[in-house]
Amino acid sequence: PQPIVLLDVPLLFQSGMDRMCTMTVGLLADREVTLRRIISRDNLTRAEGEARLQNQPQDKYYLTHCDLTVRNNGKAEELEKTAAAFSAKYLI
C-alpha cells in the first residue's frame, strides 16, 4: 500500500496546491452552523464572524471544485463516523 497524506489547507485551490492532490474533499456546514463555530472558536462578535464568512467562497465553489464533499452540521462524534466510513471506502 502507498502512504496517504492528508492536507488541511484552507486556500487549497487558490494557492494551486490542489494540483498536488489525487483527491480533494470539501468539508461543508450550513452557514449558521459555520458562523456559530467561528464566533465560538475565535471569540468574535456576530458581526465579526459574518465579515469573516463574507471573505470565504460559498459552498457552491467547493461543490464544483472538490471531488467529494461532506456535510458537517452535527457533533464531532458524527463527523468521526463519517470520516471512518470515508476512510474505509476510499483509503483502505
Side-chain angles (χ1 to χ4, degrees):
Q2 297 181 357
I4 297 169
V5 177
L6 299 175
L7 303 172
D8 180 4
V9 183
L11 298 173
L12 180 73
F13 297 103
Q14 295 88 337
S15 68
M17 288 184 68
D18 62 301
R19 291 187 297 265
M20 298 172 36
C21 302
T22 55
M23 176 186 278
T24 57
V25 179
L27 189 59
L28 306 175
D30 293 344
R31 188 177 193 287
E32 189 60 34
V33 172
T34 302
L35 181 59
R36 284 195 315 264
R37 289 175 178 167
I38 290 171
I39 290 169
S40 175
R41 181 192 67 209
D42 297 340
N43 196 30
L44 300 176
T45 66
R46 184 172 182 88
E48 291 169 329
E50 288 175 349
R52 189 171 294 178
L53 274 183
Q54 290 292 68
N55 291 321
Q56 296 180 6
Q58 299 295 313
D59 286 358
K60 182 179 178 181
Y61 177 85
Y62 296 103
L63 291 168
T64 59
H65 284 76
C66 294
D67 298 312
L68 296 169
T69 56
V70 174
R71 281 281 163 194
N72 180 26
N73 288 314
K75 298 182 185 253
E77 296 81 18
E78 294 173 50
L79 181 58
E80 288 173 9
K81 288 179 185 177
T82 301
F86 173 85
S87 178
K89 183 174 182 177
Y90 294 102
L91 303 178
I92 297 176

